[in-house]
Structure formats: structure tokens, C-alpha cells
Amino acid sequence: MPKKRITSQDVANLAGVSRTTVSFVLNDVKGLNIPQPTRQKVHDAANKLGYIPNAAAQALASRRTRALGLVMTRSPHYISTDAFLPQIIAGLMDVVKERKLRLLIEYVEMAHQDRAYHELARAKHIDGMILLTPRIDDNALKKLEQVDIPTVIMGEIIGTNLYSVDIDNRLAAVKAVQYLLELGHRQIACILNAPPSYSSAAARVMGYKDALISAGIPPNEKLILYADFDPQSGYDRMKSLLASQQKFTAIFIASDNIAMGAYAALHEAGMRIPEDVSVIGFDDIPWAEYGNPPLTTVRLDAQELARKACFVLTDLLNGKEVSQKRQILDTELVIRQSCTSYKHSLKGGELLQKT
Amino acid sequence: MPKKRITSQDVANLAGVSRTTVSFVLNDVKGLNIPQPTRQKVHDAANKLGYIPNAAAQALASRRTRALGLVMTRSPHYISTDAFLPQIIAGLMDVVKERKLRLLIEYVEMAHQDRAYHELARAKHIDGMILLTPRIDDNALKKLEQVDIPTVIMGEIIGTNLYSVDIDNRLAAVKAVQYLLELGHRQIACILNAPPSYSSAAARVMGYKDALISAGIPPNEKLILYADFDPQSGYDRMKSLLASQQKFTAIFIASDNIAMGAYAALHEAGMRIPEDVSVIGFDDIPWAEYGNPPLTTVRLDAQELARKACFVLTDLLNGKEVSQKRQILDTELVIRQSCTSYKHSLKGGELLQKT
DNA sequence: TCGTGTTATTAACACGAGTTAACAGTCTAA
DNA sequence: TTAGACTGTTAACTCGTGTTAATAACACGA
């Protein structure tokens, strides 16, 4: 005899009430008063039978799936090297668990964006989505705004006022560069985390330049390079920077993942950190603490950011008003051992400044 | 006028057929022949209306959700530092996408395991699950085997013959240690990836010891330490190993993530790699290639492992017979620059062997 | 006894698909 | 001409729950 499915009808029978009452009791529906004895009977019956409501049926009837989607647009290659993903998932999981929701992970190919968002919304796989994409083409953006499913963006998409959660990339970059300036550096290079078409990269260069300008130093375009998310690209950019013969005593690398590659290139070239070059990173991934030397970096708490995004999204789903369309999380400069003051860097003869 | 939901009924009306026919055509049901013109009419109507089937309704009616679950049991802290997660997700996503399924991520607290698996199965959130847990208590294990939902384990759970996908941990460890032996090392320490109650750690020590024994070297328990997943624990263990004054010229660290911490401890102690100690890792996480020096390690292709697990699972779901209950993926020794032959290590005076 | 509220409970419909079994319609063979 | 086989199509039921509108049960004062 195969185990039979247990439905709310079974619970109702055992408790001696109707299925409707069972639904009312188990969902704790407000606005009607069911006496305690009845409630107890229902709960007892449910426990005894080990009743577990069927998710699909609930979703169909209630029009909510109780699932959130984490939607990514990066290709599998980048997903697999994304140092933040575990933190983001941990953060989301945390909130999702607490609010008795589930988490769906979805990957949308860039090319199919317009159709895909629509599809997700209409198929009702999820009640809301957290969009983890640094970039989106204009065409898809329009579609995205029309999609009738609550959306929170982690990061920034210029030209839209969808809900978003982010850090102040410009300000964070300013902090980093100011720290280098305070240490006495004047020739400061910069490797960005991504091509300039990505808003985070754009904001970080801006911060870099602003900080320099405030200090009376004209930015030198030859000292600015754009990497491409993964350590390999960091390694490559650092190589070409070294090959360019441009002088610099410090470098701001707008992603620890990329700094990892850059470290390797520096080591390979026989450069000492921080004696020959001071390096400051961005993100504070686990590696940063254990690098050689430990990397000074701007901490971005991805887990907290994800939690925040999830809070906003669930509030939206529950109909609560969310006051701010755009929420900004603080960043923090974590000082370790990859930077030193410019006096010390005089040891590195070849990088010696003339004046 | 709010956009109306488009149901299969609408498609049927527009195409001038019944809803049943629509279902048959769109699902490509075999065993009945519907003439091409009719099929075309249905497809045209569906396209014109932009029909997207409602997932919940499909799930309810068909009794399959077309979703797979990635189930983890590690606490959020460990999830956030899990270097493999992105690769696993990328691998799963790849297959899932191709087979038009979805991926659900679920975190089950150790304490609630027994109930949780049952619940997942009964609520029918998912059709099958990939269990990403290195450990499970006996109680939960029994429940797990009774759960009537196809399951594939990534890793090994001793004492069960559920489907699983894994590497040969023992053999991989043997490979690593043999490599050190070939280089002439005789005093080889070992830091495990996890406590010995985790099967992967147990298998790796076994391989470590077997390799030594085959070479006529009795394992020294004082050279064996157990870390705890994250870099911090690797740092700590390496510290205590160094403090123990035990002599060793090489070390096998059964996880790159832990090797990362160990590297830091070694650097801090002023030990040079590989001149003073040869280090060999396990996993080949992105960092390994960019460490200082680049880490020689045993490559574990987590992405491929995930793909494999996903293949097995989907085959099970489709009723295909899967010949092997346990599938083993090959590992590969990746030689970089963290190991050198014992002759060279003579430079490291304090670690000099007496004979 | 009869209204009149007030609770407590439920019958009945909705949700949007998949699927079985039966129905017309056409074609072949006797 | 008719029985039988085959084709294309669909009416009707199913999946398991949420929810509204109506009913039954009960207490109370007149």
C-alpha cells in the first residue's frame, strides 16, 4: 500500500470540521474568531497526520509562490569566479529563511533579457526578484520597468528609478584614494573592476579622479586601466601597466578579485608590496585578509547588502511602503599592510619621484 | 484597463480549437497525431498572445514542478566562505538551463534535517534534490532514505547507497603525497580540510597515510591537524604546527581555502615557500593560481562535478536507468611553484633533517 | 414564541493547467 | 450498405488549496 497523499481534506475529516476551517486555522486568517478548542483540534489532526500543504496548489489558489528569485545576467564563466556570490546567497538565505520564503536562482542570458523578465513574471515562478546585474541594455530596461513584478536591484542601473540597494561607489573610491594621498602618494594608478560601461566601474573612476583633483593632482589617463571581473584580467592589466613604464608609487584596484591577479603580476615582476608599490583594494573578499601582504581595502559587506535588498523586497511584497527607492550601505576602510607612506617607498629606486 | 492574464483558454479561443488541443500541441504530447495546420494555428495564437503557461497550475496538474533543489546544510557563515559555491551553481545552472528546469536553493539546519527533507519532498517544491552536505546524522540519514524524492549527493555519506557523485578523495590525496615523496620529502605534515567526522577529511587522511606507508614511512600523528573549512582555521592550525616544533619539509593541505590561511601563517613566520617548506593543496580554487607562490594543488573540477550530479538527477527524473549509483570524477595534479625537491630545502636550516 | 443579532461553520466556486475516455467523422474491407 | 478501424477533437474530470457568500447554531430581550 503506497503512502497516500495527505490533503487538507484528510485533516478536516480527522478534526471533524470542514476543509475551509482547516485552511482558516492553519493560515491564521484574521477577522474571524474561531474558538480555541476548534483550533486545537485542527492543529492536533494536522500534526498527527503530518500534513504538509502542497506548494503548487497554494501558489495557484493564492497567486503567490512564496519564492524570490535571484536573477543574474553574467555568463556561467563569470558566475563561477564571482567571489561575492556565496556571501550574497548567505545573506539572502538568512532573510528568506526567517520569512518562510524560498530562493530561486535564475540566470538570464544578456541577449534574452527582454523576454526573460517578462516570462519570469508571467509564469509566476517568483513573487519578486533581486536583480544582480551591473548592466542592462536600454531595450531590456524598458521592458524591465513594465514588468509587473516587484524588483530590487543590487547595484545601480542608470536611467531607472526602480528600487535599488547599493553602496556609494564614488565615495568609497574617494576614501581609498584619499588614504593613499594622506600617506603622501602623488602618483597613483588605478585599475577598475570592469569596463567603463558598468556603472560601478564608472562611479569608482569618478571617485578616483575627484579625490586626485581635490588634492590638486590632474588625473593621468595613462594610469587608468579597466579590467574585466576576474583575476586573470587583473594580472594582465598590471602587466601592461608595468610594461608601460608609467611611474606610480601606489595603485587603487577597484576589486580585490582583480587585486589578486595584480598581486601575482607584481610579485612576478619582483616588486615588493608595499615597499615598492602601495596597493589598496575594494570589496574585502576573504582572500584580502590572507594575502601577502594582507590587503588594505574598502570593505563592502555583500552579505548585509543582500539582506537589505531582501528586506526591501519582502516589504514591497507585503504592501508596506518603502520610503527610499535607493538605499545606500556604508563602506569602511580596512587598513592592513599593503600600503605604506611615500617616504618608505623611496627605497624602491626605480619608482623614485624626481622632486 | 489592466492587462488580463492570458490562459490557455484564450489561446484555444483564438486558434479555434479546444484547450485540450492547445495543451497537446504545446507540450508536444506523443501518441497522437495532430495535423500540421492545427499545430501551426495553435503556435501562432500562442505567439500572438504571448502566452506563458502558469507554473503553479502546471505543477499542480502534472505533479512535477520542473525545479531542482540545491540543498545545503552548512550554516550561513560557512556558506558565505564556501569557495566552491559559485562553481557549483554555475555548473548546475548550465544543465538546468539546457533542460528547461529551475534551480531552488535551500538551506536546511542540521538540527531540523529529518523533518526538512520530508517537508521538501511532500510540499513538492522540487522534483529532485542535490544534497551538498558533507555530513548528516544517522537519524536524519534514515529519514533521508525514506524520502520519496530522487536525490543525488555531492560527496559521500557513509552507510547509504543513495546516488552520489564524488571524486576519489583517498586516491587524490595519495597523488599529492606521492608527488612530495618523489621530490624527496620524508617529513610531510598534513592539515585536513575538516574534522575527521567528515568523510572527505577521513578519506584524505587515509590517502595521506597510505602513501607514506607505501613509501616505508610511518605516519606521525603529531604532524596531522584538522582544520575547519575556512581560511582562519588554516591559519590557526599552521600556527600551532609551527609552534609544536615538529620538523617537516613539506605539507599537504587538503583544501586550498585552508592553504590560503596557512600561507599567511607561513609568511608571517618568515618561512619561504617552497624553499623552506613545500606546500601542496587541494581543490584548485581561483586563488591557487595567483598565490605567492602559485600553489601546486590537486584540481577538483567542482563545476563539472555539479554538472554530473545534475545529469544523474535529471536522468532519474526522466525515468532513465542510471547504471552506477556512485560516479567518480577524475582529479588532476596541477603543478605550479609551491613545491620543490628536498635538496633545495636544505637551505632552510632549521628544518634540516638529521640524516 | 418570535424576531434579531452574533458567532461558528461550511458549500461552492476559483485558480490554470494536464489527462482520460468518449465522441463525431472519414476511410477501408466485406 | 454496413461493420469495423482509424483520426482528429473535445467534454469532463483532476490536481489541492484559498476565499466569498451563505447558512446553521445559539443567545438574548420582548
Side-chain angles (χ1 to χ4, degrees):
Chain A
M1 197 178 74
K3 346 177 185 181
K4 249 184 49 188
R5 265 195 170 53
I6 289 155
T7 72
S8 61
Q9 184 64 62
D10 299 325
V11 177
N13 292 343
L14 181 60
V17 298
S18 79
R19 214 171 52 64
T20 307
T21 304
V22 172
S23 172
F24 285 161
V25 171
L26 295 185
N27 293 340
D28 209 19
V29 177
K30 290 149 298 188
L32 59 168
N33 39 3
I34 295 168
Q36 200 53 41
T38 308
R39 303 189 106 91
Q40 197 56 48
K41 271 193 301 181
V42 173
H43 281 125
D44 288 350
N47 284 334
K48 190 164 175 187
L49 293 174
Y51 169 66
I52 293 164
N54 179 300
Q58 283 186 314
L60 180 58
S62 68
R63 283 102 171 272
R64 358 177 69 223
T65 59
R66 304 197 63 75
L68 305 184
L70 172 63
V71 180
M72 308 187 283
T73 58
R74 322 248 311 254
S75 72
H77 167 68
Y78 288 121
I79 291 178
S80 72
T81 60
D82 188 333
F84 275 144
L85 196 51
Q87 294 182 50
I88 290 173
I89 289 178
L92 294 181
M93 200 64 96
D94 200 26
V95 182
V96 150
K97 197 83 188 168
E98 175 199 319
R99 310 213 165 175
K100 301 198 186 304
L101 299 169
R102 263 156 299 118
L103 183 63
L104 207 63
I105 298 215
E106 199 78 29
Y107 157 59
V108 170
E109 288 172 65
M110 288 266 192
H112 302 156
Q113 280 186 52
D114 48 349
R115 173 149 186 77
Y117 297 132
H118 199 219
E119 198 157 325
L120 274 172
R122 291 289 275 280
K124 286 287 172 197
H125 291 138
I126 53 179
D127 292 336
M129 68 180 180
I130 289 174
L131 199 52
L132 191 61
T133 183
R135 199 183 180 189
I136 193 173
D137 62 72
D138 296 345
N139 197 358
L141 179 56
K142 271 183 221 131
K143 297 271 187 179
L144 180 59
E145 287 187 319
Q146 291 166 13
V147 161
D148 52 349
I149 173 175
T151 300
V152 175
I153 297 167
M154 281 188 71
E156 180 179 21
I157 295 181
I158 311 262
T160 174
N161 73 333
L162 291 164
Y163 288 89
S164 65
V165 168
D166 201 358
I167 55 166
D168 188 331
N169 281 291
R170 199 197 66 85
L171 184 63
V174 168
K175 271 191 210 172
V177 176
Q178 264 179 357
Y179 176 68
L180 294 174
L181 289 166
E182 281 164 19
L183 288 175
H185 294 278
R186 309 288 294 171
Q187 296 178 306
I188 301 175
C190 176
I191 298 181
L192 278 307
N193 53 320
S197 57
Y198 287 80
S199 58
S200 66
R204 291 174 197 183
V205 220
M206 198 181 301
Y208 161 79
K209 289 183 180 172
D210 287 356
L212 289 183
I213 292 171
S214 301
I217 303 171
N220 174 357
E221 290 293 339
K222 292 186 179 156
L223 286 177
I224 302 176
L225 283 84
Y226 293 87
D228 204 9
F229 301 107
D230 57 16
Q232 181 64 49
S233 70
Y235 177 84
D236 294 342
R237 294 306 175 282
M238 185 53 97
K239 277 276 188 192
S240 44
L241 184 59
L242 291 172
S244 75
Q245 301 284 20
Q246 291 288 323
K247 289 182 185 169
F248 60 97
T249 64
I251 182 163
F252 165 52
I253 302 181
S255 153
D256 288 357
N257 211 17
I258 282 165
M260 202 161 88
Y263 256 49
L266 286 169
H267 286 138
E268 209 174 289
M271 308 272 289
R272 291 163 303 160
I273 307 169
E275 292 84 354
D276 299 330
V277 208
S278 286
V279 178
I280 191 163
F282 201 113
D283 289 348
D284 196 24
I285 62 176
W287 165 75
E289 191 177 347
Y290 300 97
N292 179 27
L295 180 67
T296 292
T297 191
V298 180
R299 180 160 166 65
L300 185 173
D301 190 341
Q303 192 163 344
E304 188 54 33
L305 202 62
R307 285 170 51 88
K308 208 157 195 163
C310 207
F311 281 136
V312 173
L313 186 55
T314 51
D315 282 353
L316 285 176
L317 291 177
N318 294 334
K320 286 188 200 155
E321 265 314 302
V322 176
S323 51
Q324 295 178 22
K325 279 249 163 179
R326 183 163 173 75
Q327 298 205 5
I328 301 297
L329 192 71
D330 272 346
T331 53
E332 173 197 1
L333 186 64
V334 179
I335 295 176
R336 297 208 179 91
Q337 296 149 44
S338 62
C339 297
T340 190
S341 65
Y342 182 46
K343 295 176 185 75
H344 291 261
S345 66
L346 281 174
K347 293 176 195 167
E350 61 174 314
L351 290 175
L352 201 110
Q353 213 176 2
K354 275 174 194 165
T355 34
Chain B
M1 194 178 73
K3 347 178 186 182
K4 249 185 48 188
R5 263 195 171 54
I6 289 154
T7 73
S8 62
Q9 183 65 61
D10 299 325
V11 177
N13 292 343
L14 181 58
V17 297
S18 78
R19 217 170 49 66
T20 308
T21 303
V22 172
S23 172
F24 285 161
V25 171
L26 295 184
N27 294 337
D28 209 19
V29 177
K30 292 149 298 189
L32 59 169
N33 38 4
I34 294 167
Q36 200 52 42
T38 307
R39 304 188 104 92
Q40 197 56 48
K41 271 193 299 181
V42 172
H43 280 125
D44 288 350
N47 285 335
K48 189 163 177 189
L49 294 174
Y51 169 65
I52 293 164
N54 179 299
Q58 284 186 313
L60 181 57
S62 67
R63 281 100 171 269
R64 358 177 68 224
T65 60
R66 303 197 64 74
L68 305 183
L70 172 63
V71 180
M72 308 187 283
T73 58
R74 320 241 320 247
S75 72
H77 167 69
Y78 287 121
I79 291 178
S80 72
T81 60
D82 188 333
F84 274 144
L85 196 53
Q87 294 182 49
I88 290 173
I89 288 178
L92 294 180
M93 202 64 96
D94 200 26
V95 182
V96 150
K97 198 83 188 166
E98 176 199 318
R99 310 212 166 177
K100 302 199 184 304
L101 298 169
R102 262 157 298 119
L103 182 63
L104 210 63
I105 300 217
E106 200 78 29
Y107 157 58
V108 170
E109 288 172 65
M110 288 265 191
H112 303 155
Q113 280 187 53
D114 49 349
R115 172 149 187 77
Y117 296 134
H118 199 220
E119 198 156 324
L120 273 173
R122 290 289 275 280
K124 287 287 173 196
H125 289 137
I126 54 180
D127 292 335
M129 69 181 177
I130 289 173
L131 198 54
L132 192 62
T133 181
R135 198 182 180 190
I136 192 173
D137 63 71
D138 297 345
N139 197 358
L141 179 56
K142 272 182 218 128
K143 297 271 187 181
L144 180 59
E145 288 187 319
Q146 290 166 12
V147 161
D148 52 351
I149 173 174
T151 301
V152 175
I153 297 165
M154 280 189 71
E156 180 179 21
I157 295 180
I158 311 263
T160 174
N161 72 335
L162 291 165
Y163 288 88
S164 65
V165 169
D166 202 359
I167 55 165
D168 188 331
N169 281 291
R170 200 196 64 85
L171 184 63
V174 167
K175 270 192 212 172
V177 176
Q178 265 178 358
Y179 175 68
L180 294 174
L181 289 165
E182 281 164 19
L183 289 176
H185 295 278
R186 310 289 292 171
Q187 296 178 306
I188 301 174
C190 177
I191 298 180
L192 277 308
N193 52 318
S197 57
Y198 288 79
S199 58
S200 66
R204 291 175 196 182
V205 221
M206 199 180 301
Y208 161 78
K209 290 183 178 172
D210 287 357
L212 290 183
I213 292 170
S214 301
I217 303 171
N220 174 358
E221 290 293 338
K222 291 185 181 158
L223 286 178
I224 303 176
L225 283 83
Y226 294 86
D228 206 9
F229 302 106
D230 56 17
Q232 181 65 47
S233 70
Y235 177 86
D236 294 343
R237 295 306 175 283
M238 183 55 94
K239 276 276 187 193
S240 44
L241 184 59
L242 290 172
S244 76
Q245 301 282 18
Q246 291 287 323
K247 288 181 186 171
F248 60 96
T249 64
I251 182 163
F252 165 52
I253 302 180
S255 153
D256 288 357
N257 211 16
I258 282 165
M260 203 160 89
Y263 256 48
L266 287 169
H267 286 137
E268 208 174 291
M271 308 270 291
R272 291 163 303 160
I273 307 170
E275 292 83 353
D276 300 330
V277 210
S278 287
V279 178
I280 191 164
F282 201 114
D283 290 347
D284 197 23
I285 62 176
W287 165 74
E289 192 177 345
Y290 299 97
N292 179 26
L295 179 67
T296 292
T297 191
V298 180
R299 179 162 167 63
L300 185 175
D301 190 341
Q303 192 163 343
E304 187 54 33
L305 202 62
R307 286 171 50 88
K308 208 159 195 161
C310 207
F311 280 137
V312 173
L313 186 55
T314 52
D315 282 352
L316 286 174
L317 291 177
N318 295 334
K320 285 189 199 154
E321 266 313 303
V322 176
S323 51
Q324 296 177 24
K325 279 249 163 179
R326 185 164 171 72
Q327 297 204 9
I328 301 297
L329 193 71
D330 273 346
T331 53
E332 173 198 359
L333 186 64
V334 180
I335 296 176
R336 297 205 180 92
Q337 296 149 45
S338 63
C339 298
T340 189
S341 65
Y342 182 45
K343 295 177 187 73
H344 291 261
S345 66
L346 282 174
K347 292 178 197 167
E350 62 175 312
L351 290 173
L352 202 108
Q353 212 177 4
K354 278 174 193 167
T355 35

